Amino acid sequence: MNETRDPAYARRRRPVRHAVAAATLAGALPLAACAGDSPSALDPAGAGATRIANLWWVLFWISMAVFAEVMALLVWALVFRRRHDTRVRHGQPLRLVAVAGAGVPLVILVVVYALGLRDLAALGAAPGRDAPTVEVTGHKWWWEVRVPGVDGATANELHIPVGERVRVRLRTADVLHSFWVPQLMPKTDLIAGEVRETWLHAERPGRYRGQCAEYCGTQHAHMAFQVVAEPRPQFEAWLARLGSPARQPQTDAERRGQQAFVQGTCAGCHAIRGTGADARVGPDLSDVGSRWSIGAGAVPNDAGHLGGWIANPQTVKPGSYMPPQPVDAERLPDLIAYLRSLT
Ligand code: CUA
């Protein structure tokens, strides 16, 4: 009789199939997190993250070797027990326990500890005194970006020259946050009342996603940012833009939008350089048109999402500190046109 058609056989096999399905699912879940544009610390693009990734692989292969050794011993023990083998003499099990149970783990732990200390020292070393410095302040739930000596600010986006180490000075305006760019550098916590320091280094140009990595309230997940690594001249152009007035309105709609911004409620919380609006409650909007997202990764930066955000941020990012704005329906398109023009 064909045993796959035997109902009793199928019943016996069911738990096995369930176990295989559960194991596959458990294996697939961590991989699902790697899909899309979510960055991986195992795809490093800079000196800091490369150290972490290398250490991770060393630990991974050691774990695999230990797992294989334990499984081999398990199989050996099962076979040995079944055969009632008498090959093992007095003293032999004790030697095995001493070597495989104490000696080998001791060597592994000492090696891993030494590697960890070496990488910790390398990651903790400050960049040179001439290294560019960027100051980042964590707010619930966005990142304020400034450069010492430059009289301007931006949000949720910081630029670094490619191939150079950039010092990043970190503060928090409220609660504990954590600054993490998986492809460039491990996490650094932002602690109230303290100035923490880390550095960023990217070996190739690109945009690297960063994320707050410490739960800080309802919109912790929407506290993302981008690090833009670019050649030196472009980095210097960014510094120059950061210190200059925002782009002037060019069309009538943009002019009306600017007026609505400065005379309306917007200027109560936000700044746009050169317009007289200089509040620092919310993000500086002088270059808002060029940013990668609205609401620190909440929605894409386009006209539709911007309009929705201005009208009612609470539907986009519930809990955000920006209240719904009483902007006239005919003024909203002007305001959108003006803010979109600020690049
Ligand atoms: Cu800020 Cu989580």
Side-chain angles (χ1 to χ4, degrees):
M1 184 182 183
N2 186 342
E3 55 178 12
T4 54
R5 294 211 189 121
D6 174 2
Y9 176 81
R11 265 199 304 282
R12 281 201 306 279
R13 297 286 295 171
R14 208 169 291 145
V16 176
R17 273 208 304 271
H18 288 174
V20 170
T24 310
L25 192 63
L29 277 178
L31 288 177
C34 303
D37 69 341
S38 58
S40 168
L42 297 181
D43 177 24
T50 299
R51 279 194 175 273
I52 295 296
N54 289 343
L55 188 61
W56 191 91
W57 283 113
V58 167
L59 293 176
F60 176 79
W61 287 118
I62 289 176
S63 310
M64 285 295 111
V66 170
F67 179 72
E69 186 211 358
V70 169
M71 286 301 118
L73 283 174
L74 186 67
V75 169
W76 178 77
L78 288 171
V79 170
F80 162 75
R81 193 172 143 232
R82 202 162 281 173
R83 282 197 201 142
H84 298 287
D85 210 319
T86 49
R87 271 179 302 171
V88 174
R89 280 176 295 277
H90 270 312
Q92 208 169 341
L94 192 64
R95 244 190 342 264
L96 179 71
V97 169
V99 173
V104 174
L106 186 72
V107 171
I108 291 174
L109 288 177
V110 167
V111 168
V112 168
Y113 185 62
L115 287 175
L117 283 183
R118 183 199 63 177
D119 288 344
L120 208 59
L123 291 170
R129 222 186 304 157
D130 299 332
T133 300
V134 177
E135 294 182 338
V136 176
T137 305
H139 295 259
K140 286 184 349 188
W141 291 274
W142 57 284
W143 303 88
E144 180 183 352
V145 177
R146 291 179 179 273
V147 173
V150 177
D151 185 31
T154 185
N156 309 325
E157 188 166 306
L158 64 107
H159 292 228
I160 61 171
V162 76
E164 292 181 45
R165 287 188 184 212
V166 175
R167 177 182 291 104
V168 183
R169 233 171 243 150
L170 297 162
R171 291 180 181 84
T172 168
D174 36 54
V175 299
L176 199 69
H177 302 279
S178 187
F179 182 87
W180 186 31
V181 192
Q183 286 184 277
L184 299 184
M185 196 66 181
K187 302 165 188 174
T188 307
D189 285 353
L190 281 63
I191 296 167
E194 279 188 34
V195 181
R196 308 297 307 282
E197 257 189 29
T198 184
W199 50 269
L200 291 173
H201 167 272
E203 62 206 12
R204 49 180 192 268
R207 287 179 166 264
Y208 302 98
R209 189 185 163 104
Q211 174 65 41
C212 179
E214 185 74 55
Y215 182 72
C216 53
T218 29
Q219 290 297 339
H220 155 72
H222 289 143
M223 191 169 168
F225 59 100
Q226 275 196 349
V227 175
V228 183
E230 56 199 1
R232 238 305 157 170
Q234 269 132 281
F235 170 70
E236 275 163 17
W238 176 72
L239 285 182
R241 276 203 308 284
L242 204 58
S244 352
R247 187 177 167 278
Q248 285 298 310
Q250 307 289 314
T251 66
D252 286 344
E254 289 171 14
R255 271 186 282 276
R256 287 194 300 270
Q258 189 189 50
Q259 206 176 15
F261 184 93
V262 176
Q263 293 170 357
T265 49
C266 312
C269 292
H270 296 280
I272 292 181
R273 292 188 293 280
T275 64
D278 60 356
R280 283 175 64 168
V281 178
D284 186 309
L285 299 179
S286 304
D287 61 353
V288 68
S290 67
R291 291 192 199 148
W292 65 283
S293 85
I294 297 171
V299 283
N301 188 3
D302 55 41
H305 285 103
L306 183 59
W309 175 268
I310 295 169
N312 191 358
Q314 299 304 315
T315 59
V316 183
K317 195 169 172 178
S320 135
Y321 286 91
M322 180 166 161
Q325 291 307 301
V327 181
D328 288 345
E330 68 266 32
R331 272 293 90 85
L332 190 58
D334 297 339
L335 196 53
I336 293 169
Y338 172 57
L339 292 173
R340 301 274 309 148
S341 77
L342 297 176
T343 54

